[in-house]
Amino acid sequence: MTTIEQMAGVPSAAELDALANAWFPDLTENVYGFSQEEASEPAVPEVNMGDLNQGYGGDTTDPYFRSVEEASAPEANFSSAGSDVPVVDNGSSKGYAPVVISQTEAAESGRKIDAPTSLGGDSTPRATTDDKPYTSRDESIRIGSKTLAQIRSDFPILNERINGNKLVWLDNGATTQRPKAVIDRLSYYFEHENSNVHRGAHTLAARSTDAYENARDIVRDFIGAPSSEEIVFVRGTTEAINLVANAYVKPRLKPGDEIIVSILEHHANIVPWQLVAQETGAVIKVIPCDESGQLILHEYEKLFTERTKFVSVTHVSNVLGTVTPIEELIAIAHRHGVRILIDGAQSVAHIPVNVSALDADFFVFSGHKVFAPTGIGVVYGKKELLEAARPYHGGGNMIADVTFERTIYNPIPNKFEAGTGSIADAVGRGRRLPICPR
């Protein structure tokens, strides 16, 4: 009868044994110290129980148990007579022969188990307010005008201890931690200014609106935009790209038109364009990169045709960390008469940006990656492009007059800010950006 192994071409055990003997003729015993013939019919040795000292790991002269010990841990000694815990000591390097036990067994033997954070938190207590998040060495390291100790003290969460160790945060590409200045500004807003904006005549409405619009002015200055009208508040970079794709680009596309993105993009700068292309019949073209992760500019220029309508490309890739040459990317697009969006989510916290000097058509980024709260992002767009774009959402705040026969929407930027936005988050962002360059 043909077996499954034969049908799949898998060698039999006998064939594998013959092959091993041919390649390694000096290895005549298996891992248990016996030849194949002896191993095929294992005999149970007669064991004198008096020779055994607590089973495996004890002192015995029986050759069977010696072969087992040598095969399983040839370099191991044992911590004490009668112990079942092997200790490795080969003189030159440290090795381990670990004992694997359950949490129940460890609890019964009085051994402490730290539960991992993903399974219910750490077993160590939180740091007290008296603990410092820095060491004396941090006080001698300067970054710009501040010592490392001062910078760590700006962030209360760095007082946290994880498994007994001081928190070290390296995941800024996903989100940054919040400095005390932002936390305090949010608290002040909710304690003294909380109200909706642009729609009340009372004192708190005026305070809240002033704080909200002041945050817009701060963002304008931070990225070098000509006017606060060109700053639109959204939830984050993802919504910012979707807004541009649907409000400005989509109405201008016909079947066969082309959108250019790069191979380095985050999903947030791929999927919105796929959705728009699917709805309009447009085509997406991709800028390639070389072996070092750099965009190939001459290949980028070859992608342009008379059907190319828009380019959207990252400033710093979250995939490889590549810093793209956005000045050249913008110049090439404009040379072909094509508008371009720059995704600054990963760059704006690290690289000074001046959208006026760059001549960027659109520039987008998130607050939470530049030490501001979550839930707030920015679309910068040239005034004439934002005015030419259609509203993205409809609702309160974006309207000037509404009847059942017609609706008149507000000028930019309010026409893109329907409903109640993340007012407190915008105010918190405004508090952080002036000190971010430090």
Side-chain angles (χ1 to χ4, degrees), residues 352-405:
V353 171
N354 187 302
V355 295
S356 298
L358 289 170
D359 196 24
D361 298 306
F362 296 95
F363 187 92
V364 300
F365 66 100
S366 297
H368 72 97
K369 295 186 179 181
V370 65
F371 311 108
T374 55
I376 190 68
V378 166
V379 174
Y380 158 77
K382 290 180 176 177
K383 183 177 179 179
E384 65 272 19
L385 303 183
L386 292 178
E387 289 178 339
R390 66 186 184 186
Y392 181 43
H393 291 147
N397 193 56
M398 58 82 66
I399 45 89
D401 185 68
V402 177
T403 68
F404 285 108
E405 290 76 21

Side-chain angles (χ1 to χ4, degrees), residues 309-366:
K309 293 297 186 285
F310 201 76
V311 177
S312 189
V313 68
T314 186
H315 189 181
V316 174
S317 171
N318 82 308
V319 180
L320 298 177
T322 303
V323 180
T324 63
I326 57 172
E327 295 88 348
E328 289 89 341
L329 294 172
I330 293 170
I332 291 172
H334 287 174
R335 188 158 63 242
H336 291 272
V338 176
R339 301 293 187 177
I340 183 171
L341 176 148
I342 303 298
D343 173 3
Q346 296 292 347
S347 67
V348 74
H350 306 282
I351 302 173
V353 171
N354 187 302
V355 295
S356 298
L358 289 170
D359 196 24
D361 298 306
F362 296 95
F363 187 92
V364 300
F365 66 100
S366 297

Side-chain angles (χ1 to χ4, degrees), residues 72-137:
S72 60
E75 74 277 31
N77 297 317
F78 293 87
S79 58
S80 62
S83 172
D84 61 348
V85 181
V87 178
V88 177
D89 183 10
N90 59 15
S92 60
S93 62
K94 185 177 181 181
Y96 301 91
V99 175
V100 181
I101 59 177
S102 69
Q103 291 190 5
T104 301
E105 291 170 324
E108 290 174 352
S109 63
R111 299 178 183 179
K112 186 177 180 181
I113 293 291
D114 281 342
T117 55
S118 61
L119 297 180
D122 306 300
S123 62
T124 54
R126 293 185 178 182
T128 66
T129 54
D130 295 332
D131 291 339
K132 295 181 178 180
Y134 58 86
T135 65
S136 58
R137 181 173 178 271

